Amino acid sequence: MVVGDFAIELDTVVIGSGPGGYVAAIRAAEMGQKVAIIEKEFIGGVCLNVGCIPSKALIAAGHHYQESLDSTVFGVSTKEVSLDFTKTQAWKDKEVVHRLTSGVEMLLKKHKVEILRGEAYFVDDHNLRVMHPDSAQTYSFNNAIVATGSRPIEIKGFKFGGRILDSTGGLALKEVPKKFVIIGGGVIGAELGGAYANLGAEVTILEGSPQILPTYEKDMVKLVEDNFKKKGMTVVTKAMAKEAVDNGDSVTVKYEVDGKEAEVTADYVMVTVGRRPNTDELGLEQAGVEIGERGLIKVDEQGRTNVKNIFAIGDIVPGAALAHKASYEGKIAAEAISGKAVAVDYKGMPAVAFTDPELASVGMTIAEAKAAGIDAKQSKFPFAGNGRALSLDAKEGFLRLVTTKDDNVIIGAQIAGVGASDMISELTLAIESGMNAEDIALTIHPHPSLGEIVMDTAELALGMPIHI
């Protein structure tokens, strides 16, 4: 400790201001705690600044561009359509990202959360230092919530820089590439690949597994693959990326498929093969916190680490790396510090891919139910049987319910189609509440709406369908 660096006392300190951290800080303040939040980069974390929010803005821009190019199915004809990508990026950064992040900062200040700018490093289980480029300050704390998120994985042969991008670089391009290669066809790769294809790029996705979007069922992914083909995209599965050579004005990607070497040249290559938890360079070992496999922190049902006054949430703990999961865990940890008898306890964690069409799932698939020894069945209703979907010219897709055979309790749902990201919430509530198909079928859904598909599928599960 430097001379004169007297420790400043804090009650609850939150490290990281992403969807887990800022939510935890606000809930802790609401519970009467005196809270400080430490952020080394930007308020709102990866999700709001360089992740889920700006990517959805580019996805929306791509949709509008495509609709402008061709809406003849609705009898709408347009001429001389152009894209000013500089304005697109300015709108994304100012009207979407800045508005949200400044709103989060305002909420933190409203709840009297002290914002400390700098990089946190644990000294022990009750002290940490906030590091600045030319100074540092020591703080003592009663409780800490670590919410430092994750960062893109850099693979051998693809060192980030120049024309070799991570997802952050992919979102910040100054022009739409004529040719764009993406390594990794998971959710991030598929979403951004589809977005840039809609914006006019010639996109190639190289995926190591047998299918893109490997966490979703094959019949759901088939709809996305078909849409990719319509866009002129190229998808190569079982591909092993070997090397990227930056040519200055282009980049050549070398890969291998079935033992045969191949290559593709593009303006840029973006690597989206996964993310690594930010648990290094925090001094967690100084605090005695145990870190498990792949850098993830072991926690109990309240988010408490093996050190009783230090909690961890979000991408740095086991489980799905989802923003809404981090927010949920942040609330639990904050309330646990206040002494509430709370615990992480959910039956279903919804997941969404904002592809064309959207994919959403919650709870169990039929295969998972059978593997768990549950006597279950599945019921599948097509979007083509829904009036609202037809009026949107979005008839591709389906909704599937997984229910128990004996009493029709809803234990899982999968949706592929327009509006899936919004529709999944009703089914998440149904699973969390232990509802059965009859509860859904007897709930009046407005007509015409996409929500009726949920009701129609529930009636199908009961063996009394009306529209199929």
Side-chain angles (χ1 to χ4, degrees):
M1 184 180 295
V2 297
V3 176
D5 179 20
F6 297 104
I8 298 174
E9 294 183 5
L10 300 175
D11 182 11
T12 296
V13 61
V14 180
I15 305 173
S17 68
Y22 85 76
V23 169
I26 290 173
R27 179 51 53 89
E30 289 175 333
M31 301 296 292
Q33 299 166 42
K34 184 178 179 181
V35 185
I37 193 165
I38 303 171
E39 175 55 55
K40 73 173 184 177
E41 197 165 5
F42 30 52
I43 299 296
V46 167
C47 180
L48 269 65
N49 288 272
V50 292
C52 41
I53 296 300
S55 65
K56 304 312 168 288
L58 288 189
I59 289 169
H63 287 160
H64 284 296
Y65 181 56
Q66 284 299 314
E67 289 165 2
S68 298
L69 287 173
D70 183 14
S71 291
T72 54
V73 67
F74 298 108
V76 179
S77 298
T78 52
K79 296 181 180 179
E80 298 180 6
V81 176
S82 63
L83 173 68
D84 187 336
F85 196 60
T86 300
K87 289 184 177 179
T88 302
Q89 289 286 37
W91 164 77
K92 178 202 75 177
D93 294 337
K94 183 178 179 181
E95 297 299 327
V96 180
V97 173
H98 177 71
R99 186 181 291 267
L100 280 173
T101 54
S102 59
V104 168
E105 187 165 355
M106 179 193 70
L107 287 170
L108 290 169
K109 291 178 179 178
K110 176 185 175 183
H111 287 85
K112 295 181 172 55
V113 175
E114 183 180 3
I115 300 173
L116 304 174
R117 302 280 184 170
E119 192 165 356
Y121 188 88
F122 283 95
V123 176
D124 55 40
D125 59 357
H126 278 87
N127 292 276
L128 58 77
R129 302 197 80 196
V130 176
M131 315 294 287
H132 306 283
D134 55 358
S135 64
Q137 175 61 53
T138 300
Y139 294 86
S140 64
F141 60 86
N142 294 322
N143 294 283
I145 300 175
V146 185
T148 47
S150 60
R151 62 185 184 273
I153 292 175
E154 184 179 83
I155 59 176
K156 184 180 179 181
F158 291 80
K159 184 174 178 58
F160 294 138
R163 295 183 177 271
I164 304 169
L165 313 171
D166 58 12
S167 56
T168 299
L171 285 166
L173 287 172
K174 297 185 182 302
E175 72 280 331
V176 175
K178 291 180 180 178
K179 293 186 177 182
F180 195 31
V181 175
I182 297 175
I183 310 298
V187 172
I188 297 173
E191 287 184 351
L192 289 181
Y196 273 109
N198 280 336
L199 290 166
E202 183 182 323
V203 178
T204 298
I205 295 179
L206 304 178
E207 167 59 39
S209 65
Q211 71 168 43
I212 58 170
L213 298 162
T215 57
Y216 290 89
E217 292 186 283
K218 289 184 178 180
D219 57 351
M220 301 173 75
V221 175
K222 178 66 164 56
L223 295 170
V224 177
E225 291 173 336
D226 290 345
N227 183 272
F228 280 179
K229 289 178 183 177
K230 290 179 182 178
K231 289 181 171 69
M233 295 172 63
T234 300
V235 175
V236 183
T237 55
K238 298 181 181 178
M240 180 65 66
K242 294 293 186 180
E243 182 186 13
V245 179
D246 194 329
N247 307 314
D249 59 352
S250 65
V251 59
T252 299
V253 176
K254 300 179 181 180
Y255 62 98
E256 185 179 296
V257 180
D258 296 329
K260 298 180 180 180
E261 294 186 356
E263 63 180 44
V264 57
T265 298
D267 299 298
Y268 296 94
V269 58
M270 180 178 68
V271 181
T272 58
V273 296
R275 298 182 66 84
R276 176 176 288 111
N278 292 324
T279 51
D280 50 351
E281 300 182 2
L282 279 172
L284 288 168
E285 65 281 359
Q286 299 295 115
V289 175
E290 290 182 8
I291 300 177
E293 296 180 3
R294 295 179 291 114
L296 297 172
I297 300 175
K298 299 176 182 179
V299 293
D300 66 10
E301 69 278 0
Q302 291 187 321
R304 194 186 309 269
T305 69
N306 62 298
V307 180
K308 66 178 183 179
N309 66 314
I310 299 178
F311 296 71
I313 61 172
D315 289 8
I316 60 173
V317 303
L322 299 168
H324 44 278
K325 170 179 170 287
S327 296
Y328 171 78
E329 291 169 344
K331 296 171 188 175
I332 296 296
E335 292 175 7
I337 289 172
S338 288
K340 287 193 67 176
V342 293
V344 171
D345 178 25
Y346 54 81
K347 296 179 182 177
M349 179 60 66
V352 177
F354 289 84
T355 47
D356 294 330
E358 290 182 355
L359 307 182
S361 65
V362 65
M364 293 183 169
T365 63
I366 188 66
E368 290 169 340
K370 289 180 178 179
I374 300 173
D375 192 13
K377 63 181 180 181
Q378 57 184 352
S379 307
K380 185 176 178 180
F381 187 90
F383 272 54
N386 176 264
R388 178 60 175 155
L390 291 175
S391 71
L392 292 170
D393 190 38
K395 58 183 178 293
E396 296 82 8
F398 59 85
L399 189 152
R400 178 166 48 226
L401 285 182
V402 180
T403 55
T404 57
K405 282 186 178 180
D406 55 351
D407 50 11
N408 291 305
V409 172
I410 301 169
I411 58 174
Q414 299 87 43
I415 312 175
V418 62
S421 57
D422 295 314
M423 296 169 65
I424 200 68
S425 293
E426 177 181 359
L427 292 165
T428 303
L429 176 62
I431 292 172
E432 286 291 337
S433 303
M435 299 171 72
N436 61 27
E438 188 174 16
D439 293 320
I440 295 290
L442 292 176
T443 299
I444 300 172
H445 290 67
H447 176 76
S449 71
L450 295 172
E452 288 179 288
I453 300 174
V454 182
M455 179 181 68
D456 280 320
T457 314
E459 291 180 339
L460 180 60
L462 295 171
M464 299 179 65
I466 298 295
H467 295 112
I468 190 173

